[in-house]
Amino acid sequence: MSTVLQLAKRFREVLLDGVWIANTNFKDQLSDVTWEQAVTQIGSLNTIAMLTFHIDYYIAGLIQVFEGGNLEIRDQYSFDFPPVESQEQWESLLNKLWNDAGRFAVLLEQTPDAKMNEVFVDEKYGTYLRNIDGMIEHAYYHLGQITLIRKLLS
C-alpha cells in the first residue's frame, strides 16, 4: 500500500471510522454528545465543542494547502470560534468536521507519494509527511481529551 493510502487510512481511523489505536474515533465519541454537553466547562479544561472546532480548524487549513492555496491558519486563532448555542449549531460543527475529514482524506489519496518528502509551505514546517503525521497525532491527543471529558460529564 502506498504511503498516501496508508496515511489516509490512519487519518480516517482517528476521525471517522477506526478503532485500531484508541478503540474509538472522533465520530464515535461525538455521535451522542448533546450541545449542552459539548459546551459544558469542567474546571480549566477546554470544552468538547472547543476541541472539535480546534481539530477541524487544522484540517480545513490543510485542505486549503492541498487544494493549492496558502497556509492561512495560525495557532493563536485555533480556539477562536463562535459559541455553540443550540443543537443545530453543534450538529453543523460536527457535519463540518466529518465533511472536512472526508474531503482531506480524498485529497491525500490523490497526492503522489513523492510529494510527501517535499517541503510543506515553508522549510520551518518540514515535509508534507511530517505535517500529516502531526495532524494524526494531534487528533489522537485531542480524542483522548474528549474521551476523558465525556467520562467526567457522566
Side-chain angles (χ1 to χ4, degrees):
M1 183 182 296
S2 75
T3 300
V4 294
L5 292 180
Q6 290 177 48
L7 288 168
K9 183 177 189 295
R10 287 180 49 221
F11 181 80
R12 280 191 180 99
E13 283 177 350
V14 66
L15 271 296
L16 301 171
D17 59 17
V19 294
W20 188 62
I21 300 291
N23 204 34
T24 191
N25 58 69
F26 270 79
K27 198 164 199 174
D28 181 53
Q29 286 298 304
L30 298 175
S31 66
D32 61 353
V33 171
T34 67
W35 79 272
E36 293 94 346
Q37 291 169 319
V39 300
T40 298
Q41 184 84 43
I42 297 176
S44 63
L45 301 177
N46 289 314
T47 67
I48 290 172
M50 291 171 92
L51 294 169
T52 302
F53 173 85
H54 178 74
I55 284 297
D56 185 61
Y57 179 83
Y58 284 104
I59 294 169
L62 287 177
I63 288 170
Q64 189 166 344
V65 172
F66 271 68
E67 290 181 337
N70 295 323
L71 181 65
E72 295 180 4
I73 57 174
R74 300 291 178 263
D75 291 345
Q76 68 193 47
Y77 303 122
S78 66
F79 285 102
D80 292 353
F81 75 106
V84 173
E85 298 174 332
S86 70
Q87 187 66 29
E88 182 179 315
Q89 289 176 336
W90 172 235
E91 289 173 12
S92 177
L93 178 58
L94 290 175
N95 286 331
K96 182 174 180 340
L97 176 59
W98 312 146
N99 290 335
D100 285 349
R103 185 169 159 203
F104 179 71
V106 168
L107 286 168
L108 182 53
E109 288 170 337
Q110 296 169 349
T111 304
D113 275 349
K115 182 98 173 161
M116 294 300 105
N117 294 317
E118 292 180 13
V119 170
F120 182 82
V121 180
D122 187 311
E123 284 189 33
K124 68 183 177 184
Y125 298 123
T127 64
Y128 275 79
L129 178 60
R130 181 174 185 228
N131 280 270
I132 296 162
D133 273 339
M135 181 68 238
I136 293 166
E137 292 166 7
H138 184 223
Y140 274 115
Y141 172 78
H142 289 306
L143 174 61
Q145 290 179 317
I146 288 169
T147 302
L148 290 172
I149 292 168
R150 283 191 50 173
K151 289 179 180 183
L152 292 170
L153 288 171
S154 61

